[in-house]
Amino acid sequence: MMWSEKHRPASLSAMMGNEEARGQLAAWLKGWRKGARPVLLVGPPGTGKTTAAFLACEAFGYDMVGLDASDARSRSRISGVLGPVMGNAGVSGRPALIFVDEVDGIHGRADFGGAEALLRLLKEPTVPVIMAANSDASPKMKSIEKASKTLRFRPVPPRLLRAHLRRVLREEGASLSPGTEIRTAEGCGGDMRRMLNAAQSLAAGFDIPADAGQGMLDAQAGTDAFFAAGDAESALAALRAMRMDPREKIGTLFSAVATARLPPEAAARAMDAISEADLLYGRILRTKQWRLLRYMDAALAAKLHRATRGAGVRYERYGLPWQLLNRIRWDGRAVRSLCGALGRRMHASSSEFSTVYLPYLAYMVGACGAEPPDLSSEGGDGGQALAAALAKEAGARGGMPR
Amino acid sequence: MAGGGVMWVEKHRPAKLSEVVGQAEAIGSIRALLERPAEMPHLMFSGSAGVGKTTTALCIARQVLGDHMRDHLLELNASDERGIGMVRDKVKRFSNYAAFADVPFKIIILDEADEMTADAQTALRRTIEDAARVCRFILVANNISKIIDPIQSRCAVFKFTAIPKGDLVAHLGRLAKAEKVAADRKSLEEIYDQAEGDLRHAINILQAAAATGSGKVTADNIRAAAGLARADSVEGVVKAAMGGNLAKAREGMVELVKVYGMSESDFLKYACGAVYRAAPPNMGEVLEAMAKYDYRILAGSSPEIQLTAMLAELGRLGASR
């Protein structure tokens, strides 16, 4: 299990840092009456906003009804989720509390309908509303702040982080060298979750290069740690410690697997796992359901790790031979513009031209000395790049394949 | 018409409906429709590659628009436009102004319309309605079952059939004569077989074979010329994958897609063809795997990852034959 999940504090008072904000949150909820202003928790990731909201709910006997930025995108969804709750009890009969996570994300995506619906809700709250945001810098957050009471969460100081880290290590029966311990606590930027993820992978024996000691793993260290991990849990910890864009993360793992020369069965299973992760990411992009991202690491860790265990897969920066990379980089653009331009003249799509015409045209010009078409009106530079691309293709078609 | 000077396909493309090869039935109905051009509905042509759909659309445009074709015809290819937004913008700009008085309407040819997703087609429906005051659409598709019903119901649909062997061979013969190429009937039939009924491909083969043999077409020349098409490169990729050489297969695929700009959809089309021709004993499984990844390309985010995963799956299936 992930340390960051397993070692979540059990009560508000057991949390680390941000005493003042936690105290104000507890006081607010304790004294909450119909019509009281909502609270807005503002602070960087991993400082305990969600945990505090959750624990406050527990402490005062509320049922938390959650919304995150992706739910709150549209007015209808907000009304759909919250409508039945407003002025009503939660599912279990306990009173309901609404928690809106990533509220800055609503504005960030210009989902105005959603923001309006949310603002209306904030003005006449019939149940307690807690919102969380990483930043209140955007001008549009001001309208939300005006309607609510802001509590600030600050990065947890390294001293407290280190104390917590030592306790977790003790409970896990794990240890880190004092130097690593300090670096991990100080390098995570006050983000508790990130510290624990990094610590878990470090304790599992991953060797983190000195310059990547920011409490997280870079692409290379993370990839190598993932494929070297002894079990799916440590593999998952390595994935989580790779703080990078999901697309890049999938791409990095893909590059490693694609160049690993695995036996067919293992290659197919490993690629299937990566393909599924990409499928999930595609769906997330399309539906903007960012909360689904949380399943990506877990899905990858289980399937991909099982398929590649012990196969010695390593990080590979360039998944393709440099000749091909150069061709993509230098020839690709010109060839594609050539196909687009000539395709239009021949009433064919660029892909169609490339497939059914270009080889014949290149052959006619290259091997049979036909006059190449006039490209001077194409492209920005008088078609020179396009003409050069055609000449190169023609050169490659100098002889008939036998 | 540069490019047309070199390639016979363009040089000898029919300019009039009466010259279109082998589509007697569809052409007959279309000519009847065009007797009162002002009443022409939107049209949809479906049929496999190289049977004359785009050529027919262009002939109609020429007949209806005459000298105004240049400003009154908009050609779009769905496979080249990035999303319905681009199509909508271009159509909007084009249909902003009505046609000149002596032309009944403007014409928009949307080729490879079946490359559009169902969502994009739904949006297209509205675009067609908005532009209908000024424009007529001619939608061209390989596979009509990929066109949503509401679009089909707005068009008069014409199915283009495979060109009969006799018609195609006779046409090649006329072409050979016009280009002063010596080719006997047997060679022309061989070209028909190699091109699998695709007239455009057949003409390309004839031209390349004639050039190789300095005006004389031989069986060897024909086979070599047929091998030029990049569909053969896709076949090579599939063979490498099924032979267990994933790295080689992937490099071949990446070159086709990223250097030559072959669409994933075309890649899969030719890959399917290659599998049919190779007919491995577990062909059902192979095609099922390809269908699975075809879907994943549409739903996922990186076509390169999905196509590579498909090649890896082919490797597994190739090894288990």
Side-chain angles (χ1 to χ4, degrees):
Chain A
M1 189 178 179
M2 302 292 304
W3 289 359
S4 53
E5 300 293 325
K6 189 169 163 189
H7 297 275
R8 264 187 197 284
S11 69
L12 264 183
S13 56
M15 287 181 70
M16 292 277 166
N18 291 305
E19 277 103 283
E20 195 187 330
R22 278 186 282 133
Q24 288 179 341
L25 178 64
W28 170 81
L29 189 53
K30 193 175 174 193
W32 188 86
R33 248 172 276 101
K34 256 193 179 91
R37 277 164 25 127
V39 289
L40 170 66
L41 315 181
V42 180
T47 48
K49 300 183 299 295
T50 309
T51 307
F54 181 76
L55 293 174
C57 268
E58 287 294 298
F60 296 102
Y62 283 94
D63 253 355
M64 185 189 268
V65 178
L67 268 181
D68 62 22
S70 49
D71 294 319
R73 288 175 64 241
S74 73
R75 183 191 311 230
S76 63
R77 199 185 247 128
I78 288 204
S79 323
V81 174
L82 301 185
V85 173
M86 300 305 282
N88 255 315
V91 273
S92 64
R94 298 200 294 179
L97 176 150
I98 292 168
F99 179 62
V100 191
D101 208 352
E102 300 170 39
V103 72
D104 41 348
I106 298 180
H107 283 310
R109 274 178 228 112
D111 299 320
F112 295 117
E116 275 166 25
L118 183 66
L119 272 174
R120 243 197 327 279
L121 161 76
L122 298 185
K123 286 198 178 116
E124 318 132 17
T126 53
V127 296
V129 178
I130 303 178
M131 292 167 292
N134 286 331
S135 150
D136 58 350
S138 81
K140 283 167 190 156
M141 280 299 289
K142 298 296 172 214
S143 52
I144 288 190
E145 285 202 298
K146 227 186 273 172
S148 50
K149 172 184 167 72
T150 305
L151 301 180
R152 293 199 180 274
F153 278 66
R154 300 183 200 291
V156 185
R159 179 178 50 82
L160 291 176
L161 284 174
R162 198 173 162 208
H164 185 60
L165 175 58
R166 298 181 84 154
R167 195 165 64 234
V168 170
L169 287 169
R170 199 168 53 242
E171 286 173 22
E172 291 289 341
S175 68
L176 295 174
S177 72
T180 312
E181 211 177 276
I182 293 172
R183 244 188 318 145
T184 312
E186 290 187 345
C188 66
D191 180 338
M192 177 80 78
R193 201 165 34 214
R194 189 161 127 187
M195 175 187 76
L196 290 178
N197 282 332
Q200 185 171 12
S201 51
L202 284 165
F206 305 136
D207 184 22
I208 300 188
D211 60 346
Q214 291 292 312
M216 53 191 280
L217 301 170
D218 66 7
Q220 177 160 12
T223 307
D224 287 344
F226 176 84
F227 289 108
D231 55 44
E233 257 171 48
S234 335
L236 179 56
L239 274 190
R240 295 232 164 136
M242 287 166 78
R243 283 289 176 106
M244 49 203 290
D245 179 74
R247 189 197 302 275
E248 283 172 39
K249 198 188 270 191
I250 296 174
T252 304
L253 297 170
F254 169 72
S255 224
V257 170
T259 48
R261 316 232 165 210
L262 297 165
E265 179 70 35
R269 275 189 293 131
M271 279 296 176
D272 188 42
I274 293 175
S275 146
E276 280 181 354
D278 178 71
L279 188 61
L280 176 60
Y281 188 58
R283 287 196 183 125
I284 291 171
L285 287 181
R286 213 153 291 128
T287 59
K288 306 219 161 45
Q289 298 282 3
W290 300 101
R291 66 198 164 87
L292 294 176
L293 267 180
R294 69 173 78 122
Y295 304 110
M296 177 125 83
D297 284 340
L300 266 174
K303 277 193 81 170
L304 181 57
H305 182 260
R306 205 180 313 131
T308 57
R309 185 161 35 194
V313 179
R314 303 276 305 174
Y315 173 78
E316 172 59 50
R317 181 161 178 205
Y318 305 107
L320 293 164
W322 62 267
Q323 297 94 326
L324 182 50
L325 287 172
N326 277 349
R327 246 165 91 51
I328 294 171
R329 184 156 175 206
W330 302 116
D331 299 347
R333 194 218 289 256
V335 171
R336 288 194 307 268
S337 324
L338 176 72
C339 292
L342 291 180
R344 272 189 297 282
R345 294 187 196 175
M346 308 270 265
H347 315 285
S349 75
S350 127
S351 169
E352 204 177 3
F353 182 84
S354 172
T355 311
V356 301
Y357 288 100
L358 180 59
Y360 289 96
L361 177 60
Y363 176 72
M364 295 309 299
V365 172
C368 310
E371 183 76 10
D374 176 16
L375 290 161
S376 56
S377 60
E378 306 285 352
D381 55 356
Q384 277 166 21
L386 274 53
L390 177 57
K392 192 165 176 185
E393 283 298 307
R397 293 284 185 193
M400 206 64 156
R402 291 281 174 188
Chain B
M1 285 267 170
V6 186
M7 303 302 291
W8 292 354
V9 174
E10 203 50 42
K11 185 174 165 192
H12 296 283
R13 192 191 282 276
K16 290 194 222 126
L17 282 170
S18 56
E19 297 164 7
V20 175
V21 180
Q23 300 294 348
E25 199 177 320
I27 298 296
S29 324
I30 291 168
R31 292 175 78 177
L33 265 183
L34 289 183
E35 275 168 20
R36 274 176 297 182
E39 291 168 26
M40 185 185 108
H42 301 305
L43 304 177
M44 171 169 313
F45 299 161
S46 76
S48 50
V51 297
K53 303 182 297 297
T54 306
T55 297
T56 303
L58 290 168
C59 288
I60 293 174
R62 196 169 292 113
Q63 179 172 336
V64 173
L65 304 176
D67 293 341
H68 299 300
M69 183 156 149
R70 201 185 158 79
D71 312 314
H72 289 65
L73 170 67
L74 176 66
E75 277 186 83
L76 295 171
N77 195 306
S79 136
D80 281 340
E81 307 297 334
R82 271 158 306 180
I84 180 69
M86 292 257 293
V87 173
R88 194 159 38 201
D89 287 352
K90 288 190 178 170
V91 169
K92 215 171 198 167
R93 243 177 296 140
F94 180 73
S95 60
N96 234 343
Y97 299 100
F100 291 140
D102 48 352
V103 169
F105 42 73
K106 294 177 161 184
I107 293 180
I108 298 174
I109 299 178
L110 178 57
D111 220 325
E112 302 196 34
D114 50 347
E115 287 294 307
M116 301 179 96
T117 62
D119 284 349
Q121 290 185 32
T122 309
L124 177 68
R125 193 166 86 174
R126 177 71 198 278
T127 304
I128 293 180
E129 269 160 17
D130 288 347
R133 198 175 45 84
V134 177
C135 303
R136 291 296 177 277
F137 277 80
I138 305 179
L139 304 177
V140 178
N142 282 143
N143 190 344
I144 195 163
S145 61
K146 288 203 283 184
I147 302 287
I148 60 174
D149 283 343
I151 296 231
Q152 289 194 35
S153 81
R154 281 170 173 72
C155 301
V157 177
F158 295 90
K159 295 206 165 77
F160 282 58
T161 50
I163 302 174
K165 185 169 180 174
D167 291 0
L168 199 150
V169 168
H171 184 72
L172 288 181
R174 284 193 295 277
L175 234 156
K177 202 168 165 202
E179 291 288 346
K180 303 190 171 50
V181 171
D184 55 19
R185 189 175 169 85
K186 202 160 149 270
S187 312
L188 298 179
E189 284 178 354
E190 169 69 14
I191 293 179
Y192 172 87
D193 291 341
Q194 290 285 344
E196 295 174 353
D198 177 341
L199 178 57
R200 183 177 53 189
H201 193 192
I203 296 173
N204 279 335
I205 294 176
L206 175 66
Q207 183 176 14
T212 314
S214 319
K216 192 165 184 325
V217 175
T218 67
D220 278 353
N221 292 342
I222 291 169
R223 269 191 297 278
L228 281 171
R230 226 174 293 282
D232 271 42
S233 316
V234 178
E235 184 157 356
V237 168
V238 170
K239 278 193 179 135
M242 296 204 62
N245 193 342
L246 178 60
K248 185 179 167 206
R250 170 166 176 247
E251 283 158 26
M253 177 274 289
V254 168
E255 184 180 28
L256 287 170
V257 173
K258 292 207 171 162
V259 179
Y260 290 106
M262 183 182 279
S263 66
E264 291 83 28
S265 157
D266 277 348
F267 180 87
L268 284 164
K269 181 171 87 186
Y270 296 119
C272 260
V275 170
Y276 274 118
R277 275 191 300 279
N282 52 356
M283 183 154 85
E285 276 179 89
V286 174
L287 292 173
E288 199 179 325
M290 294 173 81
K292 176 170 104 181
Y293 284 102
D294 198 344
Y295 165 73
R296 288 187 178 187
I297 287 169
L298 293 173
S301 92
S302 158
E304 187 193 344
I305 288 181
Q306 298 300 349
L307 282 178
T308 306
M310 181 185 89
L311 296 174
E313 180 90 33
L314 293 185
R316 187 176 72 79
L317 292 168
S320 71
R321 269 182 294 191

